[in-house]
Amino acid sequence: MGIGFLRHNHKHSERVRSHTATRAERTSAMFLAVAGARASYLLPSAFPAAVSSPRPRLLALPRRCRPYGSHASSPAASRRRPRRLLVRAARTESTGVAVGFRAPHFELPEPLTGKLWTLDDFDGNPALLVMFICNHCPFVKHLKKDIAKLTSFYMEKGLGVVAISSNSIVTHPQDGPEQMAEEAKLFKYPFPYLYDESQEVAKAFGAVCTPEFLLFKKEGRRPFELFYHGQFDDSRPSNNVPVTGRDLSRAIDCALSGQELTFVQKPTLDAASNGTHEGADSVVCWQQIDGPFVSQI
């Protein structure tokens, strides 16, 4: 009985091993079939050049990716806003030429009459006031009426006066010759209002802002030399100080009477550009950039 039981168990074990081997072979075959199916998707069988390669190459699946910077592919980015030059005004002082500086020669047209004026036209005057102004500058607008009154008063005493506009009409058509002529009529300027289209005269005088006042005087046959380079008075468009012309009138009195200045010259604190735009009562009339003056605001 014992031997029969052992024989029976031995046969049963062989059948179990045979059945297990059959299942393992079947499972292995299924695995190889699945792996082969998956590999068929990856092998570039459709491309002869790839098949001939000794080593199979896997095809990279396509990926939808955005270029560096997600905004680059957005419709809004393709519609770029036009670039705008933003220019902000900033105050500057009328410095640059010193007392004793000789008045440079100029020859400029007067839009109102068409006459050409030169420095020699004022040779008979003991003193000459050269003003750099324009039509649109708020600082000039603040003083226009008083400038006309003051210059008219002193021109009767022998003072020579000339006003010059050096603004670019490309950026400010309101400062063009026709508008200058209208301005001279409207405010009844007693002095010639000249147009410096090339802006060379402004640079020759060292003008950096508007309004800018340069008072020259001469003795005998000597050329005009700078006597006063400063403000009209302490009034500004926003400080509520009355316009009196006190500083400039005192300087003219000294120049005409042959006296020395008895007070400290205060530079004109007016408009010039710092490259940006807007600001309380600051405005720019021109700026020197790589040579030429460029009108702003």
Side-chain angles (χ1 to χ4, degrees):
M1 180 175 177
I3 297 174
F5 178 76
L6 292 176
R7 289 177 179 176
H8 176 76
N9 284 345
H10 178 70
K11 292 181 180 180
H12 177 73
S13 298
E14 289 181 352
R15 284 198 299 270
V16 169
R17 283 197 296 271
S18 176
H19 180 70
T20 302
T22 302
R23 289 184 60 184
E25 292 175 358
R26 195 177 304 159
T27 302
S28 176
M30 291 178 62
F31 175 78
L32 292 175
V34 172
R38 289 181 178 178
S40 65
Y41 286 98
L42 300 177
L43 289 175
S45 57
F47 304 98
V51 174
S52 61
S53 175
R55 296 180 61 185
R57 297 169 58 189
L58 299 182
L59 292 180
L61 298 179
R63 295 179 59 190
R64 297 186 62 184
C65 58
R66 309 177 78 176
Y68 180 76
S70 59
H71 64 278
S73 61
S74 62
S78 61
R79 298 190 299 271
R80 295 182 179 277
R81 298 177 59 185
R83 297 182 63 184
R84 299 178 61 187
L85 177 62
L86 202 61
V87 181
R88 180 167 303 161
R91 295 185 174 188
T92 188
E93 293 183 353
S94 58
T95 60
V97 290
V99 172
F101 165 76
R102 290 188 176 183
H105 178 77
F106 63 84
E107 183 176 344
L108 296 174
E110 181 183 11
L112 180 61
T113 63
K115 177 183 175 180
L116 280 176
W117 289 80
T118 69
L119 181 64
D120 296 336
D121 292 321
F122 303 94
D123 192 56
N125 300 96
L128 172 64
L129 175 63
V130 180
M131 303 179 294
F132 285 89
I133 64 175
C134 66
N135 292 353
H136 83 274
C137 177
F139 287 89
V140 176
K141 291 180 178 180
H142 181 64
L143 302 174
K144 282 180 180 178
K145 293 182 179 179
D146 294 274
I147 287 176
K149 291 178 182 179
L150 183 145
T151 54
S152 178
F153 174 78
Y154 282 105
M155 287 175 70
E156 295 179 357
K157 295 188 175 185
L159 177 68
V161 181
V162 62
I164 301 173
S165 175
S166 301
N167 269 14
S168 170
I169 62 174
V170 175
T171 54
H172 289 85
Q174 66 269 41
D175 290 330
E178 295 182 2
Q179 291 75 12
M180 289 174 59
E182 295 175 359
E183 191 91 348
K185 284 183 180 180
L186 178 62
F187 290 93
K188 299 179 180 179
Y189 286 160
F191 48 79
Y193 187 19
L194 311 183
Y195 179 47
D196 178 23
E197 182 177 10
S198 69
Q199 303 171 332
E200 292 298 325
V201 175
K203 288 185 283 186
F205 276 89
V208 297
C209 63
T210 59
E212 188 152 5
F213 305 96
L214 298 97
L215 177 63
F216 297 85
K217 77 168 187 176
K218 68 175 184 174
E219 297 178 1
R221 301 180 63 85
R222 290 176 60 84
F224 283 111
E225 296 181 350
L226 186 62
F227 180 73
Y228 175 81
H229 184 204
Q231 66 177 7
F232 192 76
D233 57 26
D234 291 326
S235 182
R236 300 291 184 271
S238 64
N239 64 6
N240 297 321
V241 175
V243 179
T244 61
R246 183 172 181 269
D247 291 62
L248 183 58
S249 63
R250 290 173 65 190
I252 296 174
D253 286 334
C254 291
L256 294 178
S257 62
Q259 300 178 16
E260 297 295 329
L261 286 177
T262 58
F263 62 96
V264 177
Q265 301 185 34
K266 296 180 181 179
T268 301
L269 183 65
D270 292 332
S273 174
N274 67 354
T276 46
H277 176 61
E278 288 171 328
D281 48 18
S282 59
V283 86
V284 73
C285 294
W286 62 68
Q287 177 190 12
Q288 189 173 6
I289 303 178
D290 297 332
F293 284 89
V294 180
S295 178
Q296 311 290 346
I297 294 188

